[in-house]
Amino acid sequence: MTTETHCPYCSLQCGMRLAVGGTGGPRSGPPEVEPWDEFPVNQGGLCRKGWTSTSLLKHRERLTSPLVRRDGELEPATWEEALSYVAGRLVTLREEYGADSLAVFGGGGLTNEKAYSLGKFARVALGTSQIDYNGRWCMSSAANAGIRAFGLDRGLPFPLADVEQTDVLVLVGSNLAETMPPAARHLSNLRERGGQVVVIDPRQTPTAERADVFLQPVPGTDLALALGLLHLVIANGHVDEEYVAARTTGFDEVRRGAASWWPERVERVTGVPASELRDLARLLGVSERVMILTARGAEQHSTGSDTVLSWINLALALGQCGREYAGYGCLTGQGNGQGGREHGQKSDQLPGYRMIDDPAAREHVAGVWGVDPATIPGKGRSAYELLSALGTEGGPKAMLVFGSNIVVSAPNVTAVNERLDALDLLVVCDFVLSETAARADVVLPVTQWAEETGTMTNLEGRVILRQRAITPPAGVRSDLDVIAELARLVGSPVEFETEPETVFAELGRASAGGKADYSEITYDRIVEEKGVFWGEERMFLERFAHPDGRARFHAVEHRGAAEQPDDEFPIHLTTGRVLAQYQSGAQTRRVRDLTDDGAFVELHPMLAGRIGAVDGELVLVRTRRGELKAPARVVPTIRPDTVFVPFHWVGANRLTNDVLDPASRMPEFKVCAAAVTT
């Protein structure tokens, strides 16, 4: 039997077929991955992570029984024991300290149904405002900028395949060839038809190697680079004045702000030669269709929202947004990074991308939930602020974690671990004993992607359906079952559904009329159409989502990273991903066929020579928050003033800065000051 479903990893959500059984009877091993050529996003192509994804389904470390900590050790327990214990502690803490003493932390890999149910569970069953999710660390800056500029946030407002039809593609802080390899074919196809690829990154990544133009700025200076390009576009007379007048507002202030960013000043700030800046500005100005895509390299900064706005300003000045095969988009990272932020996991949002402080939104959602709008809590703490408050006076005393490995993925994680340990109760739902689960008081084993049905929304806003292909192991429950049973045990005023299609229909009603309206999408439509876009397939062609139909320019100014190099910490540290691993590595580090060499420190030969580092030998990286020892990788493809550490293993985020973007509350993962020694 073959089931059409989707890869469990990145936001491409590549289609695949899973073959179970055969002529010789049922297989004892995991399902076999087969290509699904008809699915439009990947047309049968998968990266090595996708091809090996089923090996986790029968992994020897798979949890099949709840674990409860007794006398300091996690020991097996029955589901009744574990859930009764959790519910009893939640009720007791709520009675003693109030509903906001309970926190919920979700994930950008949860299905839409789970994300929706989790938000409802927090606000209705627990009555707490304290819910957020790890997508706050992934998409929030681009989302904030998109809403401010266009009135709506959908990562890509057009199909990914449109990339092939533009004339110039600008990738800012994206290593697409390693983070979503099946999408890299679009770069090749674009170049074959005569288009050009521009990559902006402090490292000459495999994506940069495919580029026609490569700029290598100092980490944290992408905003200044965009201001410099806009300065030159204006000076060269390449602003689409007719478009700006007809479809935008606010350009005059932006024009004045760009006036002081002449090329030589930009060179001093970014390290990019003025001649390269002039060449790129000329290319953008004379090209008919330009597409600018940002990713985490540009967004995970304390100025991430403003940085994205600066690149949107450039695209708007060129008259590109709201045109076919052109404009601005964001390359979402996590599998359901788009859908995960649309239906209630974020501290400030309700389903349909409604804001929680909007009385009309509260009334609509309360009607679907069958509760009084006044009982829905208000805005809570953002993800890192929530973690920082754990166990403090006035902060949450208990936290439930779904779909997130905080101990690896949070910035300044040493401080976060102290807060996790200060909790009265930590409950983690996972399929293995992740680093976060290992610190928990209760661990609940849950189903994996191929063992359950549910929808995801990929980077294009295409809602797709993961279909159950196999039966989960005995002793494992779905997150929806866990949420529903806990809701019942804590005395929820309403029942929670556990059938995914029923939950999705309720999600549709709750999102109806919102910015992300799923009310016309059904499982049958998704199957028939191989994914359904919410909103228009290509957005903004006629008007933007602001009431007047116009896009907004926003004047922004370069401030630089919150932490600059100094005598004690003279080097820039940046972090990112590598080809064989995904996110915190809880999945991919357990796949035998994926390369797992552990953490490393990438540095330039000039820096290596200065400190006496030898390729393959240990070096010590220190920041104001912690230190990491790992083997050196000496390469000529990184800036001499920068080192790179991948974040898939415990260690990298002991180093990173937890300062937040004031608008998006995104931590500054991508740059901080460091010292490197042997």
Side-chain angles (χ1 to χ4, degrees):
M1 183 178 72
T2 301
T3 302
E4 291 175 347
T5 188
H6 296 268
C7 177
Y9 296 118
C10 81
S11 64
L12 284 179
Q13 285 300 286
C14 292
M16 60 166 63
R17 288 189 170 98
L18 297 185
V20 181
T23 55
R27 286 193 180 94
S28 59
E32 184 174 317
V33 178
E34 296 179 351
W36 180 10
D37 297 333
E38 297 80 11
F39 187 68
V41 174
N42 60 309
Q43 298 177 344
L46 293 167
C47 72
R48 66 180 72 173
K49 293 188 288 290
W51 287 118
T52 60
S53 56
T54 59
S55 63
L56 287 169
L57 298 172
K58 297 194 179 223
H59 197 276
R60 58 185 174 81
E61 294 183 44
R62 184 77 187 271
L63 298 177
T64 56
S65 170
L67 302 174
V68 176
R69 194 172 295 279
R70 299 185 178 100
D71 298 324
E73 299 294 328
L74 287 170
E75 298 179 354
T78 67
W79 273 99
E80 183 179 3
E81 289 171 334
L83 292 178
S84 295
Y85 174 74
V86 171
R89 296 292 293 131
L90 293 175
V91 170
T92 298
L93 290 168
R94 182 170 61 182
E95 289 174 350
E96 185 172 354
Y97 298 105
D100 278 357
S101 68
L102 312 180
V104 177
F105 200 92
L110 299 178
T111 63
N112 289 315
E113 292 81 359
K114 293 177 187 178
Y116 168 77
S117 293
L118 204 57
K120 178 182 175 183
F121 170 76
R123 296 176 175 108
V124 175
L126 299 181
T128 182
S129 66
Q130 300 301 294
I131 176 171
D132 213 276
Y133 80 128
N134 63 17
R136 175 77 68 173
W137 303 335
C138 178
M139 301 305 309
S140 58
S141 290
N144 176 274
I147 290 170
R148 290 160 68 188
F150 307 127
L152 182 145
D153 157 43
R154 199 180 81 185
L156 289 184
F158 39 71
L160 182 62
D162 280 9
V163 164
E164 298 181 12
Q165 304 302 319
T166 196
D167 295 320
V168 179
L169 172 67
V170 183
L171 295 173
V172 189
S174 168
N175 184 10
L176 181 144
E178 286 196 285
T179 57
M180 46 184 70
R185 76 181 193 279
H186 297 304
L187 307 186
S188 300
N189 293 343
L190 168 62
R191 297 179 74 192
E192 285 177 9
R193 56 165 294 276
Q196 295 195 58
V197 175
V198 178
V199 170
I200 298 170
D201 198 305
R203 302 167 61 226
Q204 189 174 346
T205 63
T207 307
E209 291 170 1
R210 297 169 179 250
D212 302 279
V213 177
F214 172 52
L215 303 187
Q216 199 167 17
V218 172
T221 63
D222 294 316
L223 198 162
L225 190 63
L227 285 168
L229 289 169
L230 180 58
H231 173 100
L232 287 166
V233 165
I234 295 169
N236 295 341
H238 288 146
V239 173
D240 189 334
E241 300 286 359
E242 184 178 345
Y243 170 96
V244 168
R247 300 204 61 188
T248 74
T249 63
F251 183 54
D252 286 346
E253 186 179 0
V254 168
R255 188 196 301 265
R256 287 193 294 272
S260 62
W261 285 94
W262 56 91
E264 287 72 21
R265 181 188 179 193
V266 176
E267 178 176 342
R268 288 197 298 273
V269 172
T270 68
V272 175
S275 59
E276 294 182 10
L277 199 72
R278 289 189 173 95
D279 289 344
L280 177 55
R282 193 174 301 110
L283 174 65
L284 298 179
V286 301
S287 298
E288 182 180 350
R289 292 170 297 194
V290 174
M291 187 180 289
I292 298 173
L293 304 182
T294 64
R296 304 306 79 71
E299 299 159 11
Q300 287 181 322
H301 294 272
S302 59
T303 58
S305 299
D306 284 354
T307 298
V308 175
L309 285 170
S310 71
W311 290 96
I312 292 175
N313 286 343
L314 178 62
L316 288 172
L318 291 166
Q320 299 294 331
C321 299
R323 295 183 56 201
E324 281 195 327
Y325 312 127
Y328 167 80
C330 165
L331 292 168
T332 303
Q334 294 188 80
N336 201 28
Q338 182 70 51
R341 67 183 183 270
E342 294 171 349
H343 299 301
Q345 279 192 99
K346 286 182 74 176
S347 63
D348 55 354
Q349 287 181 199
L350 290 171
Y353 225 132
R354 290 180 162 92
M355 302 314 294
I356 201 164
D357 54 4
D358 177 359
R362 295 170 64 85
E363 183 174 358
H364 173 83
V365 174
V368 175
W369 287 349
V371 300
D372 183 339
T375 65
I376 298 177
K379 181 179 177 180
R381 296 177 174 94
S382 72
Y384 189 77
E385 290 163 309
L386 174 58
L387 297 180
S388 298
L390 297 177
T392 64
E393 186 174 351
K397 309 298 181 186
M399 185 167 72
L400 285 72
V401 179
F402 293 76
S404 186
N405 190 8
I406 296 164
V407 170
V408 178
S409 62
N412 192 10
V413 77
T414 301
V416 170
N417 286 341
E418 292 174 359
R419 304 283 24 103
L420 292 175
D421 292 343
L423 286 168
D424 290 12
L425 177 69
L426 175 62
V427 181
V428 175
C429 293
D430 214 326
F431 76 102
V432 292
L433 198 65
S434 68
E435 288 81 359
T436 307
R439 302 181 87 97
D441 300 292
V442 179
V443 183
L444 302 175
V446 290
T447 49
Q448 287 199 71
W449 58 285
E451 301 162 352
E452 59 188 12
T453 294
T455 61
M456 308 282 279
T457 306
N458 82 344
L459 76 171
E460 311 162 300
R462 188 193 305 257
V463 184
I464 55 93
L465 182 65
R466 286 183 180 173
Q467 300 192 79
R468 175 170 164 163
I470 60 172
T471 302
V476 171
R477 296 189 182 183
S478 77
D479 298 86
L480 292 179
D481 289 329
V482 172
I483 291 168
E485 183 62 10
L486 281 176
R488 184 185 70 81
L489 290 171
V490 300
S492 171
V494 300
E495 291 187 9
F496 280 68
E497 298 289 345
T498 59
E499 180 60 38
E501 190 166 7
T502 305
V503 176
F504 187 75
E506 183 182 316
L507 179 161
R509 296 192 298 275
S511 69
K515 289 184 176 181
D517 186 339
Y518 282 36
S519 60
E520 299 299 318
I521 304 175
T522 64
Y523 277 22
D524 288 343
R525 273 194 68 195
I526 296 171
V527 171
E528 181 180 346
E529 300 175 30
K530 297 181 177 60
V532 179
F533 290 92
W534 68 259
E536 299 294 326
E537 182 176 2
R538 293 180 178 85
M539 309 191 88
F540 313 139
L541 296 182
E542 300 296 326
R543 65 191 316 274
F544 295 98
H546 287 296
D548 62 2
R550 291 171 175 259
R552 306 282 194 264
F553 280 95
H554 287 268
V556 293
E557 187 56 66
H558 173 70
R559 302 190 299 277
E563 192 174 84
Q564 295 293 331
D566 56 20
D567 291 343
E568 185 179 1
F569 299 99
I571 301 297
H572 299 283
L573 167 70
T574 190
T575 65
R577 285 173 50 185
V578 296
L579 177 63
Q581 299 296 322
Y582 178 71
Q583 299 299 91
S584 75
Q587 295 162 283
T588 48
R589 284 187 279 115
R590 289 175 166 85
V591 177
R592 192 174 303 170
D593 292 332
L594 295 177
T595 303
D596 181 4
D597 295 331
F600 59 86
V601 180
E602 187 177 284
L603 67 164
H604 192 274
M606 288 174 59
L607 176 57
R610 192 160 71 243
I611 66 172
V614 176
D615 190 77
E617 296 188 2
L618 292 177
V619 294
L620 176 68
V621 182
R622 293 185 302 109
T623 72
R624 290 178 173 85
R625 288 152 296 281
E627 60 183 42
L628 167 72
K629 268 191 177 181
R633 286 195 184 176
V634 181
V635 295
T637 51
I638 191 169
R639 290 182 56 91
D641 57 4
T642 301
V643 295
F644 166 83
V645 177
F647 67 81
H648 309 290
W649 297 269
V650 172
N653 279 319
R654 292 181 189 143
L655 309 174
T656 48
N657 198 349
D658 54 7
V659 65
L660 303 179
D661 180 305
S664 67
R665 317 311 290 167
M666 167 78 83
E668 191 152 60
F669 286 101
K670 280 296 184 243
V671 60
C672 66
V676 188
T677 55
T678 55

